[in-house]
Amino acid sequence: QVYDELLTEKVLVMNYIDGFKVSDIKELDARKVDRVALIQDIARAYGNQIFRFGFFNADPHPGNILVVTEKGKKATPALLDFGLTKEIDEKTQRGFSKLVLAAADGDISMLLNSLDDVGVKLNFNSQIIAQESLKMTKFFFRDSGKRRNEQRKENASRNQKQREIKLQDDESLGRNPVDAFPESLVFFQRTIFLIRGLATLLEVHLPYLDLLVPFAKSNLRGTLQIDKPFRFPQTIEVRSRLSENLVKLVAKLERDSSLTGCQIVVWQNGQLLADIACGRRDKFTENAVTPSTLFNVYSCTKALTALALHRCVEMGLLNYGDYIHEHWPGFRAQCTVEQVLRHTSGLQNAGVEAIEKNFFVVCDWDRMIRLMEEAEPKTAPGSEQSYHYLSFGWIIGGLVEKVSKTPFREFVRREITGPLGVEDEMQIGLEDPMNKNLAMVCFDLEGEKRRMMRKLGRAALTGQLGKRMKDIHELANSDAAEKGLMSNPTMFNHMSVRLSLMTLHYPGETFSQRQRLFK
């Protein structure tokens, strides 16, 4: 409470708060204060200030925080001295929100977007720095609670990594990579660091991102009106009855919250019947999907990978009936090229065990190739057909490398996408992490629940369907980057995955403007 009658330009008089310093560990222990709950309450208080009110105390050191205890009640933090405060506008709030979500999702595209919003201006386009900036952001929001010797080791490792990066890209790092660093971000950083220091002092593990993500999402949904409908048409290049029906269908899906954005291109007998791009590239911004927006097309990568293998056969480098080990020394499974192409090699689960332990092993091409070499067939080769949902790309891609003696990406560019004139559009492994025109995978758990409830009723949430919904709930609320949940679709937003050779990106305009692809 502020006493207005005692207020002057230089003096602010408030009511007295009877408490003790938050850093008084002996008093905390004597009063049996739950330190974890206390620190979480402090962090959430600042989450509300920053992401909800846009006005925060930028000086949360231990001297400015008291602990108030009352018998039979939970200990409450009392925030003092709002002398050093910072007010931020809605755009900066959105930037901070996207910064948090970028760190949580490992999304360089969103990170760059957030830096623009908060006013950070980078003066280069280095791939190395783009990736390192995300690591630094995750380091910025790292969990607290580590002891001092652990912190020293962590800092030493970080400093060594920065020296290595400088040696790799000395020319671009010879000058300050930031042209402008806004005051608001300085205060935001200061606030996070001071709270982290307090948690470390009290030896409390504070998972910053877990606490801040709900505030960040709430801010974006509130300020960007995430649920507002698409503006139709965004881009409709071809008029036909099919195109009109597709636009109606997409509009209905949007109204049902089943769709955020999409591209649709339909050809029949050499005639382009539909060319549509509409909606948003992700659920947290208003960036529109355009014909040039890059989408990850998942298992369509298999088609291009198989095409590369067919090209090798055409070049006389191998035959379909050849055993793979004839061309790939060290490959254990006794299966033929044709059996892999027909998904009958028995290697459908090759590498899955390693991926379940650590999803990001998929980003290591050489490691995955070794796992394919060591894999044992689950069934006798040729005896049973089972979709090679993950292993196909590494087996065929590795074989292409062995017979062509050329890196897989280079072979595809030289023999397929280059001659077709789409080498800069159709990319196996995203080639530019600075590319901002990327579509994100969106997964709406609550929306899925609502739709299923409407269609099936509460009685449907029993038995196997109930178990499936439980699995979906656990999946959506877990940290897939930590637990290796390879079936989480949002994992494919992670930039390290998009850069890996397991993904294929291309825009709808590749097909709408390239008739020769179908000749």
Side-chain angles (χ1 to χ4, degrees):
Q1 178 183 346
V2 175
Y3 292 88
D4 294 334
E5 65 274 18
L6 301 177
L7 183 66
T8 71
E9 291 184 358
K10 297 182 178 181
V11 177
L12 178 64
V13 179
M14 297 178 288
N15 62 311
Y16 176 76
I17 297 178
D18 185 12
F20 58 91
K21 288 179 63 173
V22 71
S23 56
D24 190 340
I25 296 176
K26 289 184 179 180
E27 192 67 23
L28 288 170
D29 292 341
R31 302 198 185 199
K32 298 181 180 180
V33 173
D34 184 339
R35 298 188 200 177
V36 174
L38 179 67
I39 291 295
Q40 288 180 345
D41 283 346
I42 293 171
R44 290 191 181 100
Y46 277 88
N48 269 302
Q49 291 178 48
I50 294 169
F51 298 104
R52 184 179 177 187
F53 302 118
F55 182 85
F56 64 96
N57 179 355
D59 196 24
H61 63 76
N64 282 343
I65 302 175
L66 297 181
V67 180
V68 178
T69 58
E70 295 182 40
K71 189 174 181 179
K73 294 184 178 180
K74 177 183 176 183
T76 304
L79 309 182
L80 309 177
D81 189 5
F82 277 70
L84 180 58
T85 59
K86 183 62 183 176
E87 186 172 4
I88 53 178
D89 57 24
E90 287 189 359
K91 182 179 180 181
T92 302
Q93 276 186 306
R94 290 197 298 269
F96 287 164
S97 299
K98 285 184 278 188
L99 189 66
V100 168
L101 295 175
D105 295 338
D107 187 337
I108 290 181
S109 178
M110 183 177 286
L111 173 63
L112 296 176
N113 187 276
S114 71
L115 294 179
D116 284 343
D117 281 352
V118 301
V120 174
K121 303 299 180 184
L122 302 178
N123 56 29
F124 55 83
N125 290 312
S126 166
Q127 173 173 330
I128 295 174
I129 297 303
Q131 292 171 298
E132 185 64 11
S133 64
L134 181 59
K135 295 177 184 177
M136 292 298 293
T137 303
K138 291 181 75 68
F139 179 76
F140 173 68
F141 289 112
R142 69 196 185 281
D143 292 357
S144 67
K146 296 181 179 178
R147 297 181 182 275
R148 296 183 186 276
N149 62 334
E150 292 175 310
Q151 284 184 302
R152 283 195 291 268
K153 291 179 181 179
E154 189 177 67
N155 292 338
S157 175
R158 174 63 49 177
N159 292 336
Q160 176 61 27
K161 180 62 178 176
Q162 289 175 326
R163 286 193 292 271
E164 292 173 1
I165 292 297
K166 188 177 189 305
L167 289 174
Q168 293 178 56
D169 199 6
D170 190 61
E171 182 177 347
S172 67
L173 286 177
R175 58 196 177 99
N176 188 342
V178 179
D179 281 335
F181 200 86
E183 181 186 74
S184 59
L185 188 56
V186 173
F187 284 115
F188 180 57
Q189 180 182 17
R190 171 186 169 82
T191 301
I192 295 295
F193 281 178
L194 285 172
I195 296 176
R196 185 182 190 279
L198 177 59
T200 301
L201 176 66
L202 301 185
E203 295 188 347
V204 170
H205 176 74
L206 182 64
Y208 271 109
L209 287 175
D210 289 350
L211 290 171
L212 294 181
V213 162
F215 290 103
K217 288 183 177 180
S218 177
N219 170 264
L220 290 176
R221 289 182 179 129
T223 57
L224 289 180
Q225 298 178 328
I226 295 302
D227 296 327
K228 73 179 183 180
F230 294 158
R231 297 181 299 275
F232 284 107
Q234 288 275 6
T235 305
I236 301 177
E237 299 290 348
V238 178
R239 299 290 178 179
S240 67
R241 179 175 297 178
L242 175 64
S243 179
E244 292 174 0
N245 289 337
L246 285 171
V247 170
K248 292 177 182 178
L249 174 61
V250 171
K252 180 180 182 301
L253 291 173
E254 185 278 326
R255 288 194 299 271
D256 293 341
S257 300
S258 299
L259 187 67
T260 301
C262 67
Q263 293 171 335
I264 305 174
V265 178
V266 181
W267 286 80
Q268 183 182 45
N269 299 326
Q271 181 182 1
L272 182 61
L273 299 181
D275 182 7
I276 302 167
C278 59
R280 296 184 297 272
R281 298 200 300 261
D282 64 80
K283 61 183 178 181
F284 294 122
T285 73
E286 298 208 350
N287 297 320
V289 171
T290 68
S292 64
T293 298
L294 286 173
F295 279 74
N296 174 16
V297 293
Y298 295 91
S299 282
C300 289
T301 312
K302 291 181 176 66
L304 192 58
T305 304
L307 186 59
L309 189 282
H310 295 317
R311 177 63 181 141
C312 288
V313 173
E314 188 178 60
M315 295 167 68
L317 300 178
L318 78 168
N319 294 305
Y320 297 117
D322 293 349
Y323 282 92
I324 292 178
H325 67 78
E326 296 175 14
H327 303 280
W328 187 338
F331 194 88
R332 294 181 184 177
Q334 299 293 308
C335 60
T336 66
V337 176
E338 180 179 355
Q339 287 169 343
V340 177
L341 290 174
R342 290 182 179 274
H343 298 258
T344 61
S345 74
L347 295 172
Q348 61 268 22
N349 293 325
V352 169
E353 184 176 347
I355 297 172
E356 288 178 338
K357 291 179 180 177
N358 174 18
F359 180 84
F360 289 102
V361 71
V362 302
C363 304
D364 186 341
W365 177 264
D366 293 336
R367 171 64 175 147
M368 292 306 301
I369 292 299
R370 290 195 298 273
L371 289 172
M372 298 304 109
E373 290 178 351
E374 299 164 0
E376 297 290 344
K378 184 178 181 180
T379 56
S383 66
E384 182 180 323
Q385 188 175 59
S386 183
Y387 181 48
H388 292 23
Y389 56 105
L390 283 175
S391 58
F392 186 92
W394 289 296
I395 296 173
I396 298 298
L399 184 58
V400 168
E401 288 193 337
K402 297 297 182 183
V403 299
S404 69
K405 296 179 173 53
T406 306
F408 182 63
R409 176 187 281 167
E410 183 180 327
F411 181 87
V412 170
R413 178 179 280 264
R414 186 188 72 201
E415 298 294 331
I416 301 174
T417 59
L420 290 172
V422 294
E423 66 273 21
D424 294 327
E425 301 167 26
M426 188 177 289
Q427 303 174 14
I428 287 191
L430 190 67
E431 296 178 8
D432 180 13
M434 305 291 286
N435 192 321
K436 299 181 181 180
N437 194 17
L438 302 176
M440 301 291 116
V441 179
C442 301
F443 183 73
D444 182 7
L445 174 68
E446 295 304 320
E448 285 296 321
K449 286 182 178 178
R450 288 194 299 271
R451 282 190 290 275
M452 295 189 75
M453 291 288 285
R454 285 199 302 267
K455 289 182 179 180
L456 305 174
R458 293 185 179 276
L461 297 181
T462 59
Q464 289 300 311
L465 181 57
K467 179 180 183 299
R468 176 57 182 158
M469 290 302 297
K470 181 175 181 293
D471 292 341
I472 292 175
H473 183 272
E474 291 176 351
L475 186 67
N477 287 281
S478 63
D479 185 348
E482 294 292 332
K483 299 182 179 179
L485 296 171
M486 62 181 177
S487 57
N488 187 332
T490 62
M491 287 305 298
F492 288 84
N493 289 335
H494 199 289
M495 187 54 63
S496 59
V497 178
R498 304 192 83 150
L499 292 169
S500 74
L501 298 186
M502 74 171 296
T503 61
L504 173 63
H505 293 78
Y506 58 72
E509 67 181 7
T510 298
F511 291 102
S512 64
Q513 298 177 6
R514 305 285 183 174
Q515 295 190 44
R516 61 182 177 280
L517 287 175
F518 302 95
K519 290 183 180 179

